[in-house]
Amino acid sequence: MLIAGNWKMFKGPGETAAFCRALREADLGDVDVAVCPPYVSLADAVQCLAGTEIGVFAQNCHWAAEGAFTGEISAPMLRELGVYGTVVGHSERRQLFGETDESVARRAAAALEHGLHVIACVGETESEREAGKTEDVLRRQVSVLDEDDNMVVAYEPVWAIGTGKTATPQIAQEAHAFIKSLLDLPVLYGGSVKPENAAELAAQPDVDGALVGGASLDLESFVSICRAASQ
Ligand code: PGA
């Protein structure tokens, strides 16, 4: 069971250091834990969590090792900082920054090749779900990913992200089972995970953890989610 906090564009280096210092003292129960701070805060997170089992992930990673790619960061650069892994294909990247299945696949492959762990995000929009296209969308998004021991998938229905509308445990379970029928990898659930719903989601047979956005920004709430999921 992996509980990863996706901080999005929140917490600069100072706030990150304070959060990570408190996190290392917290009782997180029996789960693997990771945080995904913004790029500028990664070094502080790595430093403050050194010697713990808590992983530090970036939120994205370019496919080239270096080059003329203004605004991008490469896997070797993340490795040099001591970062453990990276998220790729988050729906905000796909929807707001033009990422495609192909660019997500290239980012994932390069990260793995350079020794990073990967959380690869997939998920349908509300209109895709309403049109009965959920499985087609998941199949398309998953088909570009290769099985790898260092990769997990995060199922994040777009309609559940930051909306307070969590997928029911049954919807999550169904989607996770479908993804696993295509790719033999652990699948995290993401989308409005909170301390109140984490245990029930984590209890589903094919839910192997959570990618938590908003509720991961507050220490107490993130710790509660970790402990709820570990039961
Ligand atoms: P949320 O975000 O928990 O705030 O819905 C999840 C995510 O985007 O990873």
Side-chain angles (χ1 to χ4, degrees):
M1 184 74 53
L2 169 65
I3 307 297
N6 172 18
W7 293 0
K8 311 193 178 189
M9 200 170 73
F10 293 96
K11 296 193 195 296
E15 252 188 272
T16 294
F19 186 99
C20 291
R21 275 196 291 268
L23 187 62
R24 63 179 293 153
E25 303 305 326
D27 176 4
L28 298 168
D30 187 20
V31 287
D32 295 323
V33 177
V35 292
C36 316
Y39 286 130
V40 295
S41 303
L42 287 170
D44 288 86
V46 167
Q47 200 185 349
C48 293
L49 295 171
T52 73
E53 300 272 289
I54 302 169
V56 177
F57 280 64
Q59 296 173 13
N60 202 3
C61 169
H62 197 262
W63 53 83
E66 58 183 8
F69 300 106
T70 302
E72 292 283 332
I73 301 286
S74 74
M77 292 171 182
L78 295 172
R79 291 277 291 171
E80 187 180 341
L81 276 188
V83 167
Y84 185 76
T86 186
V87 175
V88 297
H90 191 276
S91 64
E92 285 150 17
R93 299 297 321 168
R94 294 177 190 262
Q95 298 209 306
L96 305 174
F97 301 100
E99 297 246 4
T100 62
D101 293 332
E102 199 222 348
S103 71
V104 172
R106 291 179 77 186
R107 290 175 191 274
L112 291 167
E113 188 187 317
H114 288 284
L116 291 170
H117 286 66
V118 168
I119 299 173
C121 304
V122 299
E124 80 288 359
T125 62
E126 189 156 37
S127 59
E128 288 164 341
R129 175 162 284 271
E130 279 167 3
K133 292 193 187 137
T134 299
E135 292 198 346
D136 291 344
V137 171
L138 294 178
R139 190 180 293 108
R140 196 197 72 221
Q141 292 175 334
V142 163
S143 68
V144 297
L145 303 171
D146 292 321
E147 272 171 28
D148 190 293
D149 287 345
N150 290 338
M151 181 154 68
V152 301
V153 174
Y155 169 61
E156 299 208 307
V158 179
W159 47 269
I161 294 181
T163 56
K165 268 201 220 172
T166 320
T168 62
Q170 291 69 27
I171 289 180
Q173 168 56 30
E174 225 172 80
H176 284 222
F178 179 69
I179 291 166
K180 287 184 183 191
S181 74
L182 304 171
L183 208 55
D184 186 17
L185 290 178
V187 182
L188 316 182
Y189 170 77
S192 299
V193 175
K194 311 180 260 269
E196 304 79 55
N197 59 24
E200 203 188 353
L201 285 160
Q204 301 306 308
D206 290 311
V207 173
D208 304 305
L211 184 56
V212 187
S216 74
L217 295 170
D218 175 70
L219 183 75
E220 209 180 303
S221 127
F222 187 56
V223 170
S224 302
I225 289 170
C226 294
R227 294 170 60 128
S230 85
Q231 281 165 7

